[in-house]
Amino acid sequence: MNYSEQTVLRAFQIYTKLARDGVANKDAVQLYRADDEIRGLLDAFSREVDCVVIGTSEQLFLIPETKLSPFHVSNDWIKRNYLRSGATNGDIYLLYFSTIILFGSFYDSYQSQEPTRQFLRIDEWVRFIGERIDQLKTHDEEELKQLEKEFSYNWSLIIEKWEDMDDIKETAKKQSGNTISRFSFMDTVKRFMVDQELIQEIGNDEVTLTEKAKTIIQRYFMEVEYNKGIFEFIYGFEREDEYAGNQ
């Protein structure tokens, strides 16, 4: 397809902003939706760096699709910028697990299209993680190893990390700094998610999903093609329990 110089330049200007900032404004959203050529060019530019362009009503985002993308946030980068000195891959796995639990907490099933709650309290988030950890512990060692192969998550290490955290001060409303506690760890995960524009703090130790997060969840976490059944697995326990209770 032949594109005019003006079209190519405009598309590249938007892509440059996305590559630099990860986000573009409402004008870019309108062009992306209204102009097939600009949309096609932006999608093509993004594919070249293993990314995808997603949009809300107000913003466009450049989201890495694979670890090969130069825009992918590496485990080492997260360790350096968010986790305490000496952090291991176990801390990274637990951070990812905590993120998935938060996402799932806003939806009534892994195939929901819209959130079914407006906000989540941090203490609820901690409790939900504990419940999912308890469910993981119902599997024996061999089952966990098989599940680790299936989902590429080190479930045993996630359980170990969570269990090892000091919960003596769990009743405290706020914790931060280097205290190795569950609330302290969640404070770190929250900070990471706020910086990535996935959640917003709304006061009273409550957070809500951003439009960016909702769009990513709908596009990836709710599609089996991308999520590989991770939501169904983690939240399937709940449905199994409910089904058993109705017998």
Side-chain angles (χ1 to χ4, degrees), residues 50 91 237:
D50 289 310
D91 295 284
F237 298 120

Side-chain angles (χ1 to χ4, degrees), residues 68-135:
L68 298 176
S69 171
F71 300 100
H72 181 262
V73 176
S74 71
N75 289 351
D76 287 341
W77 183 86
I78 295 175
K79 288 179 185 177
R80 286 195 310 270
N81 289 277
Y82 292 95
L83 299 174
R84 68 186 189 282
S85 176
T88 66
N89 283 341
D91 295 284
I92 293 288
Y93 298 147
L94 185 54
L95 181 146
Y96 291 154
F97 182 73
S98 302
T99 299
I100 292 174
I101 298 303
L102 182 142
F103 285 165
S105 299
F106 280 88
Y107 295 82
D108 62 2
S109 81
Y110 74 100
Q111 288 183 327
S112 300
Q113 290 301 307
E114 296 294 336
T116 53
R117 66 188 301 159
Q118 297 300 314
F119 62 86
L120 179 70
R121 294 197 316 271
I122 303 303
D123 61 338
E124 287 184 294
W125 188 10
V126 172
R127 178 167 58 83
F128 290 155
I129 293 171
E131 290 172 354
R132 302 275 77 79
I133 293 288
D134 287 343
Q135 292 286 2

Side-chain angles (χ1 to χ4, degrees), residues 12-202:
F12 189 71
Q13 287 171 340
I14 296 173
Y15 173 76
T16 300
K17 182 166 179 56
L18 287 170
R20 185 185 66 232
D21 303 329
V23 61
N25 61 20
K26 194 170 183 178
D27 289 343
V29 174
Q30 292 172 343
L31 275 173
Y32 184 77
R33 290 182 173 178
D35 193 311
D36 292 343
E37 292 188 340
I38 285 180
R39 183 170 60 255
L41 283 167
L42 278 172
D43 290 342
F45 294 158
S46 301
R47 283 194 298 271
E48 289 299 309
V49 288
D50 289 310
C51 288
V52 63
V53 175
I54 66 170
T56 68
S57 59
E58 299 290 331
Q59 295 173 304
L60 283 184
F61 298 97
L62 187 67
I63 306 297
E65 277 204 302
T66 73
K67 291 182 179 180
L68 298 176
S69 171
F71 300 100
H72 181 262
V73 176
S74 71
N75 289 351
D76 287 341
W77 183 86
I78 295 175
K79 288 179 185 177
R80 286 195 310 270
N81 289 277
Y82 292 95
L83 299 174
R84 68 186 189 282
S85 176
T88 66
N89 283 341
D91 295 284
I92 293 288
Y93 298 147
L94 185 54
L95 181 146
Y96 291 154
F97 182 73
S98 302
T99 299
I100 292 174
I101 298 303
L102 182 142
F103 285 165
S105 299
F106 280 88
Y107 295 82
D108 62 2
S109 81
Y110 74 100
Q111 288 183 327
S112 300
Q113 290 301 307
E114 296 294 336
T116 53
R117 66 188 301 159
Q118 297 300 314
F119 62 86
L120 179 70
R121 294 197 316 271
I122 303 303
D123 61 338
E124 287 184 294
W125 188 10
V126 172
R127 178 167 58 83
F128 290 155
I129 293 171
E131 290 172 354
R132 302 275 77 79
I133 293 288
D134 287 343
Q135 292 286 2
L136 285 174
K137 287 161 62 178
T138 63
H139 294 282
D140 62 34
E141 187 175 343
E142 287 303 313
E143 285 178 320
L144 282 177
K145 286 181 179 179
Q146 184 58 41
L147 290 167
E148 285 167 5
K149 292 178 182 178
E150 184 176 349
F151 294 105
S152 300
Y153 270 75
N154 193 322
W155 302 116
S156 299
L157 196 49
I158 287 171
I159 293 170
E160 179 183 332
K161 276 292 176 182
W162 186 254
E163 295 288 293
D164 284 348
M165 286 182 181
D166 177 18
D167 61 356
I168 293 173
K169 298 180 180 179
E170 292 300 279
T171 54
K173 288 187 177 179
K174 290 186 179 179
Q175 290 196 35
S176 58
N178 294 321
T179 305
I180 304 175
S181 72
R182 290 168 185 169
F183 272 87
S184 176
F185 184 79
M186 300 317 299
D187 187 71
T188 297
V189 180
K190 179 183 70 174
R191 184 161 52 89
F192 168 74
M193 296 187 72
V194 168
D195 289 351
Q196 297 300 311
E197 299 182 32
L198 298 173
I199 59 174
Q200 291 177 324
E201 296 183 86
I202 56 175

